[in-house]
Every structure is written in structure tokens, then in C-alpha cells.
Amino acid sequence: MSLFRVILSIIFPPLAVIDRGCGSVLIVFLLTLCGWVPGVIGALVILNKNT
């Protein structure tokens, strides 16, 4: 996980996980609609996975 991705996930979480697939983007987008903090946490969790 690069520093650029972490900063991007703080500013706009769905854009940070755009290369992880449509499902990840949709989940993070819905979490961001519920609130900014859940979206950031979701993006960081998805970026932290080693797949």
C-alpha cells in the first residue's frame, strides 16, 4: 500500500480502490454515502488485503 493510495483513500475513497474491481468500488461508494469515515475505513481495509 503506497502513500499515494492512502492519501487518495482519505480524500476520495472510491477512487483509491478503482483497480480492485467493480464490487469493491461499489462497496466503498456505498460506505462513503453513509459517512466519510466508514468509506475511508473500507478503502483502507480493501487496500490492505494481499490479493
Side-chain angles (χ1 to χ4, degrees):
M1 185 166 48
S2 67
L3 181 64
F4 175 72
R5 289 286 177 121
V6 172
I7 293 171
L8 191 60
S9 70
I10 292 171
I11 295 171
F12 190 65
L15 191 59
V17 295
I18 197 82
D19 65 338
R20 302 290 179 160
C22 182
S24 296
V25 174
L26 184 63
I27 290 171
V28 173
F29 182 73
L30 290 174
L31 285 171
T32 305
L33 285 178
C34 292
W36 176 71
V37 174
V40 171
I41 292 171
L44 289 174
V45 166
I46 290 173
L47 288 176
N48 200 22
K49 283 186 176 180
N50 290 333
T51 55

